[in-house]
Every structure is written in C-alpha cells, then in structure tokens.
Amino acid sequence: MNRTIRAAVCSIAVAGLAFGLSSCSEAVDQVDKAVDETYEVTYEVTGKNVDSIDFHGGGGKAMEPKIESVSKPKLPWTKTVTLRGIMPAAVMPVALDPEGAQVACKITYKGKVLAEQSSQGLATAGGCTAESPIGG
C-alpha cells in the first residue's frame, strides 16, 4: 500500500476511535446521571384487615433496597417516597383474616399509575412492583 493511502486510512481509524470513545463517554455520563437521579412515587393501599405493609422507602442500594414496614396501618394508607436511580418502587400489603381479607395496592409516578393489584381470601399478600422510570 502506498504511504499516502496508509496515512489516510490511519487518520480515519484514529478519528473513528476518538468518535467511538466520545460516544462511550456520553453513555457513561448518562448511566451516572440515571444512578444519581431521584424520583418520587406514591404508594396507596386499600382493603380490609391489613396486618402490615412492607415497602421500598428509598434507603439501601438500587438492587438491594432497604425495606420499611408499617404494622396495623389505618386504611386507606398512602405514602410518598423518594427513590434513587434504578431502584424499583415496591409495596406489599399482607392480610390474614379467617372471615376473608381484601387488599389492593397502587404505585403512581407524576399522576401515572405504574402498577396496580388486588387480592382477597383467607391469607392475602397483594404486592405491586414497578420499574424505575429513570433512564428508561
């Protein structure tokens, strides 16, 4: 290959590598932003004879959230929490009642319902889990 063509090919390869690294750097910046960004969700639990409610309250790590608990909650129960990055929103009401339990849960983000479930029976654990709206 003649020296001029080799120099041109080399220049194009270096420019492509630099462009690729800059794109990679932008992707890393977006991931960092998504991990540090926070979002607010509201949990809502309704029903009858709910014994406890477990929920992600914002503590812990994204993939290992700290679970908070409320015993014998007054219904309807609502709680707004701030979560971080890719941490999923989750709420799980539990009810045990020989006469029949009923539970329903809902997770909302900026007025939009992310998840909604209901359940009934002797022993009921109806849970709602939603993916983080950050970075998606």
Side-chain angles (χ1 to χ4, degrees), residues 29-101:
D29 290 345
Q30 288 176 349
V31 168
D32 285 346
K33 181 182 176 195
V35 168
D36 291 333
E37 193 171 341
T38 60
Y39 68 101
E40 215 173 67
V41 294
T42 299
Y43 301 131
E44 182 180 337
V45 174
T46 58
K48 98 178 182 185
N49 301 326
V50 173
D51 295 308
S52 66
I53 300 171
D54 294 336
F55 61 95
H56 292 173
K61 297 178 182 175
M63 296 313 289
E64 295 176 12
K66 179 181 176 190
I67 297 174
E68 297 184 28
S69 254
V70 176
S71 293
K72 300 290 182 192
K74 182 179 178 209
L75 300 178
W77 178 87
T78 60
K79 176 90 174 173
T80 299
V81 299
T82 301
L83 302 175
R84 187 172 151 252
I86 60 171
M87 181 179 287
V91 61
M92 181 188 288
V94 176
L96 301 169
D97 187 343
E99 297 175 18

